[in-house]
Amino acid sequence: MRTRRMTHVLVTATAAGSLLVACSGAGGSTGSGGDGESINVLMVGNPQMEDIAELTKSTFTKDTGIKVNFTILPENELRDKVTQDIATQAGQYDVATVGAYEVPVWHENGWLHELDSYADKDSAFDKGDLLKPMVQSLSGADGKMYALPFYGESSFLMYNKEVLAEKGITMPERPTWQQVADAAAKVDGARPGMKGICLRGLPGWGELGAPLTTMVNTFGGTWFTEDWKAQVNSAKFKEATNFYVDLVRKHGEAGAPQAGFTECLNAMGQGKVAMWYDATSAAGSLEDPKSSKIAGKVGYAYAPVVETKSSGWLWTWAWAMPKTTKKADAASKFMLWASSKKYENLVGEKLGWARVPAGKRASTYEIPEYEKAAAAFGDITLKSIQEADPTNPGVQPRPTVGIQFVAVPEFQDLGTKVTQEISAAIADQTSVDKALNDGQKLAEEVAAKHQ
Amino acid sequence: MTTLIEPSRTAPPRVRPHTSTAISKWRRRGPLLPALIFTVVVTQLPFVATLVISTFQWNILQPADRHFTGLSNYGIVFTDGRLRAAVLNTVVLTASVVVISVVLGLALALLLDRRFPGRGLARTLLIAPFLVMPVAAALLWKHAIYNPDYGLLNGTLNAVYQFFGADHGPTIDWVSNFPMPAVVLSLVWQWTPFMMLILLAGLQAQPGDVLEAARVDGASALQTFRHITLPHLRQYIELGVLLGTIYVVQTFDAVYTITQGGPGKQTTNLPYEIYLTMFRKYEYGEAAAAGVVVVLGSIVIATFALRTIASLFREEVSR
């Protein structure tokens, strides 16, 4: 009993201590709530979140009188902070941004407040307009939503139209991985210093892990079977990984083992690679003449496949309400506003249509101004998201919801360690077989916890 | 952690009344107490918290399952293959960075010890790398220097090749082929100025009459360096090595930014492995235990460092 109280005190003390440190960089507004309530929102530091922090005061707060204090943190610290906040029942945050990966895991822990009761009451919110895969990935086993999507993305193939045309290659709208590999071989070296394709090689479950897992899915592999048998060194998983590693080693970007999303974005935008398979959200940057030399010259194709019909991933940042909040009503108002059509229009008019948090509503793609801004990639982005099936992303039933990840707490560690070894295989410091056999051992440890 | 340096035995006896009663001692120490207590609270309490946490099975993703496990986390730390690899990497990284920095720093300090026009400017420029934020330095090395597409190294090679009429230079992937040297080099760039400063201070503290005497006796520059300067610099080198070691053991920025501990585990050092345990595995107990082990290792090193500093002071006193 003593020790339990002791740890509780300690935990709270350490949490408070780290909070002091963490808050020093965030812009918490001062002063008391005044006339209305105030809520605390914890967000990940992505551009879309920075936009909402900028717009809230003059619109949402003005209309409702609810003051919003934002804290912005990097992804890992955010997970940590929310987890601590909920685990210690501190109730400090009323709203937090969560990714598609956290929702099932945290719902499983019983940390999140269901949101259907709020969303259904608000007719202007129009829940039916939300894209089905988004709703699926943010719903619990009981069919209720536990987070409201803010923006979403899938993955697709981007290619340099000029270079492919020079080499006489027509990229089909729905290519197979073999076609992509053949094209990569042909365009490799089309210009001095240009490589065929960019694929992430930087270790991390959310870096190399994401595109690789979509490839494993479509080759017919999986991390785990439905009844938690580890499949990391199975034939299909190996085939996919070998294909990925060979393609990167032969025709991939220079410096692949350290190349993540950012490095590939640079390489593609600077004309150092002819193709790139990655997030749909990258298209906006590639079409921006300020940062990209190939704006207007990019072609888009669906995520390459082998055995499945589609293979694009699904990711979303969404608003969730920790169960510990004491201001559920005010918090829900903010969340419904942030995920609304109204907010999308506000961003479009105030900051420009390219900055709209898209990828969650069908109606976004019917706004004429947005259609114009996203002419080259809007349609294919929407279809990629609509075709993504987080409940059944491969050829066999899965134990959890999720396409490019396994929604269990242990996956971050497992995915990171296995991709470290695969990254080493790309750097020719180990073999794919050894990497996956080691990975299988780690995966079996995880599976044992869930059987 | 306060060590009052007693005047050494060799110091000339001072004429001072003996007031070694406890009361007078405390009268002198009394005003220091608030500062001492503050220091203890700020520096030692977090460590005590870490010690306590290290005895718990605590994964924050399973908050319900938090319980006392005694020393089992330490068992995991000492039997974990990844941690063993991380210890080895830390030793290799630290030793190579410190040794190379000291050698380069000594060479630069010897050059700066001479009089030449623009010496002040040269010194300022040489110190600059030490003033760059570690993360910024790591980013600079990753992108501006090592990047195979637009980095300085390959850009230079490319220019040379094109100068001799080739179409395009080789595209060498420096970080993947030489991961550890890549991290070491960026750290050496940061730490050489630090070593240079310490050694330069040592060189300028050389008694001029001794050097004069050596010159009169017909000693060559090399002999003077070998038999007079180097023995004199010994303590300064020791100090540089120890302080450098304490800092470089904790390197995180360069590993995280340049290689993410890869390829594989080749550049995963202890701080990065602890980071993975904490922020990917969320095993707070294990991470705390690993942290405690690292602290104990550092304390051993720091003890030597403090002794060296104390001996420097003693020399000052006896002079």
Side-chain angles (χ1 to χ4, degrees), chain A residues 342-366:
Chain A
K342 201 167 116 189
Y343 177 73
E344 289 186 1
N345 278 304
L346 178 77
V347 174
E349 282 156 19
K350 285 233 166 137
L351 304 173
W353 289 96
R355 283 162 78 171
V356 168
K360 64 175 180 289
R361 291 177 169 275
S363 61
T364 315
Y365 296 87
E366 289 157 14

Side-chain angles (χ1 to χ4, degrees), chain A residues 83-414:
Chain A
T83 310
Q84 275 180 347
D85 187 54
I86 296 174
T88 56
Q89 299 289 311
Q92 197 175 2
Y93 296 104
D94 307 300
V95 178
T97 53
V98 292
Y101 165 80
E102 283 83 20
V103 175
V105 175
W106 293 1
H107 166 59
E108 191 75 16
N109 281 345
W111 291 353
L112 301 179
H113 203 294
E114 62 82 27
L115 302 172
D116 269 4
S117 52
Y118 298 102
D120 292 339
K121 262 187 255 167
D122 184 356
S123 57
F125 182 73
D126 190 6
K127 202 177 112 185
D129 181 36
L130 296 175
L131 300 172
K132 191 166 155 244
M134 289 286 147
V135 177
Q136 277 177 326
S137 45
L138 301 177
S139 294
D142 55 5
K144 287 184 181 156
M145 283 184 87
Y146 284 84
L148 300 178
F150 184 41
Y151 63 92
E153 65 173 38
S154 180
S155 56
F156 58 16
L157 184 77
M158 294 155 268
Y159 56 91
N160 189 323
K161 283 196 287 202
E162 272 184 7
V163 174
L164 264 73
E166 273 169 35
K167 292 278 165 189
I169 304 165
T170 32
M171 181 58 70
E173 197 182 23
R174 295 184 177 273
T176 64
W177 269 115
Q178 195 52 55
Q179 286 171 322
V180 173
D182 295 344
K186 277 189 193 146
V187 293
D188 196 348
R191 308 262 165 91
M194 182 185 259
K195 303 297 287 180
I197 187 166
C198 205
L199 290 170
R200 299 180 192 181
L202 185 71
W205 70 275
E207 282 286 357
L208 161 61
L212 176 74
T213 302
T214 65
M215 206 189 257
V216 168
N217 286 338
T218 192
F219 269 77
T222 178
W223 285 85
F224 299 101
T225 60
E226 192 180 20
D227 52 356
W228 289 106
K229 296 262 187 314
Q231 297 288 308
V232 175
N233 62 355
S234 66
K236 294 286 188 189
F237 202 112
K238 238 177 214 168
E239 193 189 339
T241 311
N242 273 316
F243 191 92
Y244 192 99
V245 172
D246 286 348
L247 181 53
V248 178
R249 286 182 53 80
K250 281 192 194 127
H251 310 295
E253 71 281 11
Q258 290 80 42
F261 175 82
T262 317
E263 287 75 12
C264 276
L265 178 64
N266 283 336
M268 185 75 188
Q270 300 306 310
K272 293 287 182 186
V273 289
M275 295 190 283
W276 180 26
Y277 168 60
D278 214 304
T280 54
S281 55
S285 308
L286 286 184
E287 296 291 356
D288 179 4
K290 281 202 286 289
S291 59
S292 160
K293 286 182 186 166
I294 57 167
K297 299 177 195 166
V298 191
Y300 301 90
Y302 287 90
V305 291
V306 179
E307 288 183 24
T308 54
K309 272 207 208 59
S310 69
S311 77
W313 72 54
L314 194 70
W315 184 257
T316 169
W317 280 105
W319 305 103
M321 195 195 303
K323 261 195 183 152
T324 45
T325 177
K326 297 165 187 77
K327 297 171 183 168
D329 281 344
S332 72
K333 275 186 194 150
F334 170 77
M335 295 156 81
L336 290 166
W337 169 77
S339 292
S340 67
K341 297 175 188 173
K342 201 167 116 189
Y343 177 73
E344 289 186 1
N345 278 304
L346 178 77
V347 174
E349 282 156 19
K350 285 233 166 137
L351 304 173
W353 289 96
R355 283 162 78 171
V356 168
K360 64 175 180 289
R361 291 177 169 275
S363 61
T364 315
Y365 296 87
E366 289 157 14
I367 304 171
E369 295 93 333
Y370 183 76
E371 275 191 282
K372 213 172 100 196
F377 55 85
D379 184 47
I380 193 166
T381 300
L382 175 66
K383 286 212 181 87
S384 293
I385 294 172
Q386 283 172 326
E387 285 174 12
D389 185 353
T391 57
N392 185 21
V395 300
Q396 65 283 82
R398 302 295 171 92
T400 68
V401 174
I403 297 179
Q404 74 280 20
F405 54 82
V406 185
V408 289
E410 298 86 1
F411 183 73
Q412 291 187 52
D413 185 48
L414 173 70

